[in-house]
Amino acid sequence: MRLLEGRGVTKYFGGLSAVFDVDFDINEGEIVGLIGPNGAGKTTLFNLISGAHPLTSGTTRFKGENITGLRPNQICKRGIARTFQLVKLFGNMTVLENVYLGSLFGVSRKINGSDAMRLSLELLEFVGLSAVGAIPAKELTLANQKRLEVARGLATRPELLLLDEMMAGLNPAEVAQAMELVTRIRDKGITIFMIEHVMKAIMSVCNRIMVLDHGVKIAEGTPNEVATNRKVVEVYLGE
């Protein structure tokens, strides 16, 4: 089933096109990667999907519903959560409180405090942070801050999770753990659309990969198809 789709998605900042006429589809149960050089428009595309920026033109639809122009909180309540390239946590709040907030302000169906707390504790266990729930979020390592942001996103009970460079800045062992977490999230029935520069991760966990360059989609296909695409090799992967 098609979960998310974009048609002619375009964003101009002044006279500069950050994303231009991009079509995409994300199917239920997939892990789809989004790659490209720095400045290719990847995070801008996530900002357009999540409502952080308005589209200049084009449409985005989620589960068949037009979500173009909706605010970020409205899109979140429909079932799309995201993380950020630069981690955005409530640093002075505890790890548990960060996730608890997500559980209270997620999808439109209401949740009482005790159920929200139970969900928050379960998610901390799921991402491997149950032992540090009482400490301020700002005291976590980078790898654990990224895990916390994932847990907070999951607390909103999404059907689609947008991951923006979850593995950036991590060491090889942490990257391997993050890859395993991504797979486990998908196994919970949550579809994933992820921006990543760690090619080992993208090639290992993704069913399909899209490639942007200067805001334009230049390729799409399986990891093997993308890795052997001459244009992708020239503009991004290198020989």
Side-chain angles (χ1 to χ4, degrees):
M1 168 185 158
R2 184 176 295 163
L3 195 62
L4 176 73
E5 60 183 295
R7 293 294 178 267
V9 173
T10 298
K11 179 63 180 179
Y12 279 91
F13 292 104
L16 175 68
S17 63
V19 174
F20 183 74
D21 198 28
V22 172
D23 293 341
F24 61 87
D25 297 293
I26 309 295
N27 298 315
E28 188 175 359
E30 284 190 304
I31 302 176
V32 179
L34 180 61
I35 66 173
N38 290 330
K42 303 181 299 295
T43 294
T44 299
L45 182 60
F46 270 23
N47 287 337
L48 297 174
I49 294 168
S50 64
H53 293 323
L55 278 69
T56 302
S57 62
T59 59
T60 51
R61 304 181 71 86
F62 182 64
K63 297 195 296 184
E65 177 188 2
N66 191 340
I67 60 171
T68 312
L70 294 184
R71 297 188 302 273
N73 64 305
Q74 294 173 315
I75 290 174
C76 179
K77 286 182 181 296
R78 280 162 173 76
I80 300 177
R82 71 169 298 185
T83 68
F84 294 87
Q85 185 176 3
L86 299 176
V87 178
K88 297 182 184 296
L89 298 172
F90 299 104
N92 291 322
M93 297 178 69
T94 69
V95 169
L96 177 58
E97 287 169 340
N98 268 267
V99 183
Y100 184 70
L101 277 180
S103 67
L104 291 176
F105 295 98
V107 294
S108 55
R109 62 183 183 275
K110 294 187 181 299
I111 185 171
N112 63 45
S114 60
D115 287 342
M117 181 57 69
R118 182 163 50 251
L119 173 63
S120 300
L121 292 169
E122 289 173 355
L123 287 170
L124 287 184
E125 179 71 29
F126 179 75
V127 301
L129 296 178
S130 57
V132 294
I135 72 171
K138 65 184 179 183
E139 295 182 9
L140 294 176
T141 64
L142 175 62
N144 282 342
Q145 286 185 1
K146 287 174 177 279
R147 284 176 173 266
L148 175 55
E149 200 171 46
V150 169
R152 191 178 59 184
L154 293 175
T156 67
R157 285 90 82 206
E159 295 179 58
L160 174 66
L161 181 61
L162 309 178
L163 299 175
D164 194 345
E165 294 198 41
M166 177 186 173
M167 301 173 203
L170 304 188
N171 64 41
E174 292 166 341
V175 167
Q177 292 166 355
M179 290 166 59
E180 188 263 342
L181 178 59
V182 168
T183 302
R184 288 196 293 119
I185 293 169
R186 192 271 312 278
D187 291 344
K188 286 171 65 74
I190 298 169
T191 302
I192 296 173
F193 192 16
M194 59 186 291
I195 297 170
E196 197 52 70
H197 285 291
V198 179
M199 286 299 99
K200 176 184 176 182
I202 281 285
M203 296 298 172
S204 298
V205 304
C206 291
N207 306 108
R208 207 160 36 91
I209 298 172
M210 287 172 46
V211 189
L212 293 183
D213 182 40
H214 293 95
V216 177
K217 186 170 79 171
I218 62 169
E220 182 175 1
T222 66
N224 184 63
E225 289 169 343
V226 167
T228 56
N229 182 292
R230 175 53 53 186
K231 190 167 187 179
V232 176
V233 170
E234 289 174 355
V235 304
Y236 184 57
L237 296 178
E239 295 294 344

